[in-house]
Amino acid sequence: RRRVLSGIQPTSDSFHLGNYLGAVRQWVQLQDEFDAFYFIPDMHAITVPQDPKVLRERTRRSVAQLLAVGVDPERATIYVQSHVPEIAQLTWVLTCLTGFGEASRMTQFKDKSAKSGTDAAGVGLFTYPILMAADILAFQVDSVPVGEDQRQHLELTRDLAQRFNKRYGKALTVPKPYIVEEFAKIYDLQNPTAKMSKSADSDAGLINLLDEPKRSAKKIRSAVTDNDREIVFDRTAKPGVSNLLTIQAALTGRAMDEIVASYQGKGYGDLKVETADILTEFVTPLRGRVDELLADTAHLDAILADGAARAREIAATTVADVYEKVGFLLPQ
Ligand code: TYM
């Protein structure tokens, strides 16, 4: 069976709507058709400072959220990155294949280090995309469901796989990004030309799945639109309206044309209220489900132990092949 793999960082108490619509929703759909691997990249999380206690809690919480939205441990392998040490082993080999200039061109490092300046940024933040490449290449993955902001990292991953195979002989599958264009970039409700992100200056435009539904509904009703009245889907001319329409289309599964047609003769107020209602319906059951799952840590930990065992088996096979090909003497 063809294989998919993806990860979501445990750097917040809740997934946001961009994470869900851009990525995690696709994970749920793909687990039926593919051999699926979904994981929590806690090693990526420490590329910026984390409180150890909070990191541990958020890692479990992230797993609970995956289960709550429908990722199924019977169908998908679910694990924590640091439980699979083979990923770190592969990272070093890939690090030695990466050009300094090549790594310097990664835009996420430029963005994430812009505030502190590059001197203050950690080297881990700089080499972050190489760890991500190892996450993927350790598992011989065909397809990686992510949002638009991960596209450049996927390109690096493909380049590294091709380079390794050319230099040392074929050991790594070259993966393809799986990016659903319509939903690959959900925008900040207050600043609808910037992506929705937990690191925005204000959280007024951020919808956290586990926030009080009333709070999220209010944020949607206060979303920035424009001074016009017409409801059409046009990302350039009407980014705010188009973002709300996109959220509706994603959560209802309805076609965009049909949604737009249903707003003939209606106003922005209707669009906002209805989008808020649709969101409320979706998020309301999630909080209870996450709390229930978190109450049974033994169950979560058993899922993770099982996932790590399955994941390590595959990653170890890749690492053994890679080590042999680069010329490491096998320990006897
Ligand atoms: P992370 O944790 O920042 O985000 C998780 C997923 O959510 C997507 N996403 C969005 N999609 C649409 N609109 C948005 N506003 C939005 N914001 C975030 C991201 O594209 C991502 O798919 N480096 C990754 C985690 C990672 C990973 C991997 C992913 C580590 N190793 C290996 C795939 C394969 C990250 O930081 O995602």
Side-chain angles (χ1 to χ4, degrees):
R1 266 205 318 164
R2 290 197 304 147
R3 193 169 282 161
V4 290
L5 173 145
S6 198
I8 179 162
Q9 289 200 66
T11 44
S12 170
D13 288 334
S14 170
F15 296 170
H16 63 66
L17 193 59
N19 298 139
Y20 179 69
L21 298 182
V24 177
R25 204 166 65 100
Q26 279 67 252
W27 303 8
V28 177
Q29 291 162 355
L30 292 168
Q31 67 186 346
D32 290 324
E33 212 186 308
F34 288 81
D35 185 21
F37 288 75
Y38 301 135
F39 72 101
I40 308 302
D42 52 350
M43 288 157 65
H44 277 107
I46 65 161
T47 58
V48 296
Q50 302 291 339
D51 177 311
K53 185 166 170 281
V54 175
L55 177 61
R56 217 180 324 274
E57 276 168 16
R58 286 177 169 173
T59 299
R60 275 215 188 88
R61 225 176 145 70
S62 299
V63 177
Q65 288 174 83
L66 288 182
L67 301 181
V69 298
V71 173
D72 176 5
E74 298 289 320
R75 283 176 284 173
T77 300
I78 304 169
Y79 57 97
V80 173
Q81 185 185 35
S82 63
H83 294 179
V84 185
E86 290 78 9
I87 294 168
Q89 292 182 290
L90 181 60
T91 300
W92 181 251
V93 177
L94 298 177
T95 302
C96 297
L97 274 182
T98 308
F100 188 82
E102 187 177 35
S104 308
R105 285 191 288 277
M106 295 290 117
T107 55
Q108 197 163 83
F109 175 75
K110 292 184 204 169
D111 295 344
K112 288 193 177 175
S113 62
K115 268 188 202 152
S116 69
T118 49
D119 273 6
V123 175
L125 194 62
F126 184 70
T127 60
Y128 177 119
I130 311 174
L131 175 59
M132 179 162 161
D135 290 331
I136 300 166
L137 298 179
F139 293 92
Q140 313 294 345
V141 167
D142 301 291
S143 206
V144 184
V146 287
E148 181 59 41
D149 61 353
Q150 300 300 315
R151 190 187 287 278
Q152 195 188 31
H153 294 156
L154 261 298
E155 271 158 28
L156 176 73
T157 303
R158 289 169 57 83
D159 289 345
L160 291 176
Q162 279 157 351
R163 194 172 305 156
F164 184 96
N165 290 344
K166 197 163 163 227
R167 195 169 300 177
Y168 296 109
K170 186 164 178 0
L172 303 172
T173 303
V174 182
K176 288 194 183 66
Y178 180 98
I179 297 175
V180 181
E181 292 299 340
E182 293 165 85
F183 308 123
K185 193 166 177 187
I186 301 298
Y187 294 84
D188 186 291
L189 298 176
Q190 287 300 317
N191 183 12
T193 53
K195 74 168 179 187
M196 183 178 287
S197 157
K198 60 199 160 218
S199 41
D201 291 334
S202 147
D203 82 346
L206 174 72
I207 300 293
N208 284 311
L209 301 188
L210 300 181
D211 277 354
E212 176 70 54
K214 280 198 182 120
R215 180 158 181 244
S216 297
K218 198 168 162 196
K219 285 183 181 178
I220 290 191
R221 289 196 306 270
S222 320
V224 165
T225 45
D226 52 55
N227 296 325
D228 196 16
R229 302 185 48 99
E230 218 194 337
I231 297 178
V232 291
F233 183 78
D234 180 340
R235 282 194 201 280
T236 320
K238 292 176 163 286
V241 170
S242 300
N243 195 37
L244 294 177
L245 289 168
T246 300
I247 292 169
Q248 271 207 24
L251 290 177
T252 60
R254 290 171 71 200
M256 186 58 81
D257 290 353
E258 192 193 311
I259 297 173
V260 170
S262 75
Y263 282 107
Q264 285 286 335
K266 292 190 185 175
Y268 290 170
D270 301 302
L271 173 66
K272 289 179 182 179
V273 167
E274 282 162 26
T275 307
D277 288 348
I278 289 165
L279 180 87
T280 302
E281 205 175 310
F282 171 67
V283 297
T284 300
L286 287 181
R287 299 202 317 164
R289 250 183 266 161
V290 167
D291 286 345
E292 265 170 45
L293 287 157
L294 282 175
D296 191 354
T297 47
H299 174 64
L300 290 181
D301 292 347
I303 289 170
L304 293 178
D306 188 49
R310 275 199 266 173
R312 287 197 69 179
E313 211 177 299
I314 294 162
T317 307
T318 303
V319 167
D321 191 20
V322 163
Y323 271 26
E324 198 268 324
K325 286 201 162 67
V326 298
F328 291 163
L329 179 64
L330 301 181
Q332 298 303 321

